[in-house]
């Protein structure tokens, strides 16, 4: 995660992590910067829904249902050198349906309308405007080269003044955001098209700092709440105090006095619900 400390280190040394993920604030800043870019919908789709580069480049409008809010991943465009090959997704699990939220649907609707306007503008001035059916195209309407997306992102990130990330890091970030927003690992696995949940858990869910902090607070609260209702508070001191000092210390809260909950085991309880001492238990045994 590109925390403030890592950003400062990168600016000072130029070194960056192998896998780097933007914070939600950094991602929002980038999306705001590229709002007028012709590929804004692509950056949005990869950053929020986690499509692979080849899946986004190979996506066609026939595979996008804006009425029901979902798209189907059935192909990808990959590169070998500079040559582009189109074929099935990376694996059987990669062939999947991806749910779209209402805002993403609006983003794609606007992108489709702008694509139509650009194509019409080209034909009006005698230029070629192909209706290839792909969601993301070059200015002439033909499907976009996957390598161009990598170069374009690098350029836009530099202009936005944000810490560097790779295009695939946007996919990492999509998994992280979904998990932090409350999605379980199985849902994230299906969203990304992973064959196993282990890959999702080990590689793609880089926990956000705020999420880690919330988990730490919740864990500590479990212990403190148990101590509050099941034990007594014991205060520690390194030296003897005078009566006046004791009175002043008693006026403070346990945490301010350096106190810590100490568990006090309960005595055995009889059938009537009252506590039974060891001496009473001894008398009962003798009677029996």
């Amino acid at each position: 995660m590109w925390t403030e400390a890592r950003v400062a280190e990168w600016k000072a040394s130029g070194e960056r992590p192998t896998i780097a993920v933007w914070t939600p604030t950094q991602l929002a800043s980038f999306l705001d910067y590229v709002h007028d870019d012709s590929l804004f919908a692509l950056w949005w789709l990869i950053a929020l829904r986690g499509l692979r580069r080849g899946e986004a480049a190979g996506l066609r409008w026939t595979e996008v249902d804006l009425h029901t809010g979902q798209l189907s991943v059935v192909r990808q465009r990959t590169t070998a050198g500079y040559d582009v090959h189109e074929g099935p997704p990376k694996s059987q699990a990669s062939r999947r349906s991806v749910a779209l939220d209402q805002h993403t649907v609006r983003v794609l609707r606007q992108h489709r309308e702008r694509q139509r306007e650009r194509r019409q503008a080209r034909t009006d001035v005698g230029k070629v405007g192909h209706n290839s059916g792909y969601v993301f195209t070059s200015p002439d309407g033909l499907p976009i080269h996957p390598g161009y997306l990598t170069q374009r992102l690098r350029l836009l990130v530099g202009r936005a003044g944000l810490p560097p990330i790779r295009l695939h890091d946007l996919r990492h970030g999509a998994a992280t955001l979904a998990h932090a927003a409350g999605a379980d690992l199985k849902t994230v696995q299906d969203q990304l098209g992973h064959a196993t949940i282990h890959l999702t858990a080990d590689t793609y869910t880089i926990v956000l700092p705020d999420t880690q902090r919330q988990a730490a607070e919740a864990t500590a609260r479990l212990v403190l709440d148990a101590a509050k209702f099941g034990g007594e508070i014991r205060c520690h001191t390194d030296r003897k105090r005078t009566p006046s000092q004791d009175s002043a210390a008693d006026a403070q809260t346990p945490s301010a006095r350096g106190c810590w909950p100490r568990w006090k085991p309960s005595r055995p309880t009889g059938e009537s619900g009252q506590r039974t001492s060891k001496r009473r238990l001894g008398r009962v045994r003798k009677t029996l």
Side-chain angles (χ1 to χ4, degrees), residues 74-102:
V74 298
R75 68 173 55 83
Q76 65 174 353
R77 287 170 59 83
T78 58
T79 58
Y82 192 77
D83 295 332
V84 178
H85 301 273
E86 186 166 315
K90 184 177 181 180
S91 64
Q92 185 61 35
S94 298
R95 186 184 296 269
R96 65 196 186 279
S97 294
V98 178
L100 305 176
D101 58 277
Q102 294 181 2

Side-chain angles (χ1 to χ4, degrees), residues 52 90 171 193-205:
R52 297 180 176 91
K90 184 177 181 180
R171 176 172 160 86
H194 288 158
T196 67
I197 199 170
H198 301 291
L199 179 61
T200 310
D202 294 341
T203 308
Y204 284 85
T205 50

